[in-house]
Amino acid sequence: MLQKVLFRQQLYGLKTKEAVHQLQKDGIRNLYRGILPPLMQKTTTLALMFGLYEDFSSLLHSHTSAPELLTCSMAAVLAGTTEALLTPFERVQTLLQDYKHHDKFTNTYQAFKFVV
């Protein structure tokens, strides 16, 4: 709920009381709307980042004679760049949390179809 209050404050410039009142007005049904994309993103991101870092690191170590600091740094950059491909999850979360889109998107799948 705190994340939703912060989101409303940032998006619409509301005071805390106004944002909480809007959430109460939206009801419990819409409180967890938009929770699936960030959960999917966090799970996927962490798995990818750590897995890809290890893969890129061992690949660079075996194919180059560069110093370890350089290969580890490059592996981190490559893993982070790959993670950036998951930004549509954040867009879907924003669409689902914005009450202006409550009638347009009823679930995560519809929002993904719109984004992609």
Side-chain angles (χ1 to χ4, degrees):
M1 181 166 155
L2 181 61
Q3 182 65 26
K4 287 235 178 184
V5 170
L6 291 172
F7 175 78
R8 298 270 172 112
Q9 288 179 304
Q10 290 172 347
L11 191 62
Y12 305 112
L14 300 175
K15 294 185 178 187
T16 305
K17 272 187 168 182
E18 294 168 337
V20 170
H21 180 69
Q22 268 190 3
L23 288 175
Q24 288 172 337
K25 187 177 165 186
D26 285 348
I28 194 79
R29 184 174 166 271
N30 289 319
L31 184 61
Y32 293 104
R33 184 180 168 92
I35 193 85
L36 185 60
L39 287 176
M40 290 169 48
Q41 179 190 18
K42 277 294 180 204
T43 305
T44 310
T45 297
L46 288 174
L48 275 176
M49 253 188 16
F50 287 110
L52 287 175
Y53 172 78
E54 286 299 319
D55 290 344
F56 287 138
S57 183
S58 65
L59 187 67
L60 290 170
H61 280 300
S62 65
H63 286 70
T64 65
S65 59
E68 186 173 350
L69 178 64
L70 182 63
T71 57
C72 289
S73 298
M74 194 60 191
V77 168
L78 290 170
T81 303
T82 306
E83 178 193 2
L85 297 173
L86 299 174
T87 55
F89 285 112
E90 292 176 19
R91 175 72 175 135
V92 168
Q93 176 188 8
T94 304
L95 287 173
L96 290 173
Q97 286 182 347
D98 188 353
Y99 74 90
K100 293 178 183 176
H101 297 290
H102 282 188
D103 294 334
K104 189 173 183 181
F105 306 113
T106 57
N107 58 40
T108 302
Y109 178 71
Q110 283 182 341
F112 264 112
K113 282 185 3 184
F114 177 77
V115 170
V116 179

Tab-separated table of all heavy atoms in Angstrom, residues 49 52 56 74-86:
chain	number	residue	atom	x	y	z
A	49	MET	N	20.524	-11.666	-13.500
A	49	MET	CA	21.729	-10.908	-13.175
A	49	MET	C	22.828	-11.784	-12.597
A	49	MET	O	23.962	-11.729	-13.049
A	49	MET	CB	21.399	-9.782	-12.196
A	49	MET	CG	21.431	-8.448	-12.862
A	49	MET	SD	21.285	-7.024	-11.812
A	49	MET	CE	21.591	-7.511	-10.188
A	52	LEU	N	23.794	-14.599	-15.331
A	52	LEU	CA	24.530	-14.052	-16.471
A	52	LEU	C	25.891	-13.499	-16.063
A	52	LEU	O	26.856	-13.600	-16.816
A	52	LEU	CB	23.703	-12.974	-17.168
A	52	LEU	CG	22.533	-13.492	-17.975
A	52	LEU	CD1	21.712	-12.338	-18.530
A	52	LEU	CD2	23.007	-14.379	-19.116
A	56	PHE	N	29.016	-14.734	-18.033
A	56	PHE	CA	29.873	-13.774	-18.747
A	56	PHE	C	31.266	-13.738	-18.147
A	56	PHE	O	32.265	-13.655	-18.872
A	56	PHE	CB	29.263	-12.363	-18.716
A	56	PHE	CG	28.073	-12.185	-19.608
A	56	PHE	CD1	26.966	-11.481	-19.170
A	56	PHE	CD2	28.048	-12.692	-20.899
A	56	PHE	CE1	25.865	-11.296	-19.985
A	56	PHE	CE2	26.948	-12.521	-21.726
A	56	PHE	CZ	25.855	-11.810	-21.264
A	74	MET	N	33.411	-5.961	-16.914
A	74	MET	CA	32.721	-6.163	-18.190
A	74	MET	C	31.563	-7.150	-18.037
A	74	MET	O	30.490	-6.945	-18.616
A	74	MET	CB	33.716	-6.657	-19.248
A	74	MET	CG	33.201	-6.584	-20.639
A	74	MET	SD	32.815	-4.868	-21.038
A	74	MET	CE	31.945	-5.091	-22.535
A	75	ALA	N	31.753	-8.195	-17.256
A	75	ALA	CA	30.680	-9.157	-17.005
A	75	ALA	C	29.511	-8.480	-16.299
A	75	ALA	O	28.348	-8.740	-16.612
A	75	ALA	CB	31.207	-10.324	-16.168
A	76	ALA	N	29.804	-7.582	-15.360
A	76	ALA	CA	28.756	-6.859	-14.648
A	76	ALA	C	27.992	-5.930	-15.593
A	76	ALA	O	26.760	-5.850	-15.541
A	76	ALA	CB	29.351	-6.058	-13.500
A	77	VAL	N	28.708	-5.255	-16.478
A	77	VAL	CA	28.058	-4.366	-17.451
A	77	VAL	C	27.160	-5.172	-18.396
A	77	VAL	O	26.024	-4.779	-18.674
A	77	VAL	CB	29.114	-3.561	-18.255
A	77	VAL	CG1	28.497	-2.875	-19.453
A	77	VAL	CG2	29.793	-2.546	-17.351
A	78	LEU	N	27.656	-6.282	-18.876
A	78	LEU	CA	26.852	-7.115	-19.779
A	78	LEU	C	25.607	-7.679	-19.078
A	78	LEU	O	24.510	-7.696	-19.658
A	78	LEU	CB	27.701	-8.255	-20.338
A	78	LEU	CG	28.783	-7.841	-21.336
A	78	LEU	CD1	29.716	-9.016	-21.621
A	78	LEU	CD2	28.159	-7.319	-22.611
A	79	ALA	N	25.756	-8.105	-17.836
A	79	ALA	CA	24.609	-8.630	-17.083
A	79	ALA	C	23.587	-7.519	-16.825
A	79	ALA	O	22.375	-7.725	-16.968
A	79	ALA	CB	25.063	-9.242	-15.767
A	80	GLY	N	24.039	-6.332	-16.477
A	80	GLY	CA	23.143	-5.195	-16.241
A	80	GLY	C	22.428	-4.752	-17.499
A	80	GLY	O	21.247	-4.395	-17.479
A	81	THR	N	23.133	-4.780	-18.620
A	81	THR	CA	22.520	-4.411	-19.901
A	81	THR	C	21.442	-5.407	-20.274
A	81	THR	O	20.368	-5.023	-20.760
A	81	THR	CB	23.593	-4.355	-21.009
A	81	THR	OG1	24.605	-3.419	-20.617
A	81	THR	CG2	23.006	-3.923	-22.325
A	82	THR	N	21.684	-6.661	-20.046
A	82	THR	CA	20.683	-7.683	-20.323
A	82	THR	C	19.453	-7.476	-19.443
A	82	THR	O	18.322	-7.631	-19.881
A	82	THR	CB	21.270	-9.087	-20.097
A	82	THR	OG1	22.467	-9.213	-20.867
A	82	THR	CG2	20.288	-10.161	-20.509
A	83	GLU	N	19.681	-7.084	-18.197
A	83	GLU	CA	18.578	-6.832	-17.269
A	83	GLU	C	17.686	-5.686	-17.762
A	83	GLU	O	16.471	-5.686	-17.541
A	83	GLU	CB	19.135	-6.489	-15.891
A	83	GLU	CG	18.060	-6.164	-14.889
A	83	GLU	CD	18.614	-5.534	-13.623
A	83	GLU	OE1	19.832	-5.309	-13.536
A	83	GLU	OE2	17.810	-5.269	-12.731
A	84	ALA	N	18.271	-4.723	-18.436
A	84	ALA	CA	17.502	-3.569	-18.923
A	84	ALA	C	16.412	-3.975	-19.909
A	84	ALA	O	15.469	-3.219	-20.142
A	84	ALA	CB	18.446	-2.558	-19.562
A	85	LEU	N	16.524	-5.161	-20.478
A	85	LEU	CA	15.493	-5.632	-21.403
A	85	LEU	C	14.159	-5.889	-20.707
A	85	LEU	O	13.126	-6.019	-21.363
A	85	LEU	CB	15.962	-6.914	-22.100
A	85	LEU	CG	17.203	-6.789	-22.977
A	85	LEU	CD1	17.642	-8.163	-23.463
A	85	LEU	CD2	16.946	-5.860	-24.148
A	86	LEU	N	14.175	-5.922	-19.379
A	86	LEU	CA	12.957	-6.217	-18.621
A	86	LEU	C	12.171	-4.961	-18.240
A	86	LEU	O	11.212	-5.043	-17.480
A	86	LEU	CB	13.311	-6.998	-17.364
A	86	LEU	CG	13.975	-8.348	-17.635
A	86	LEU	CD1	14.410	-8.982	-16.326
A	86	LEU	CD2	13.041	-9.266	-18.380
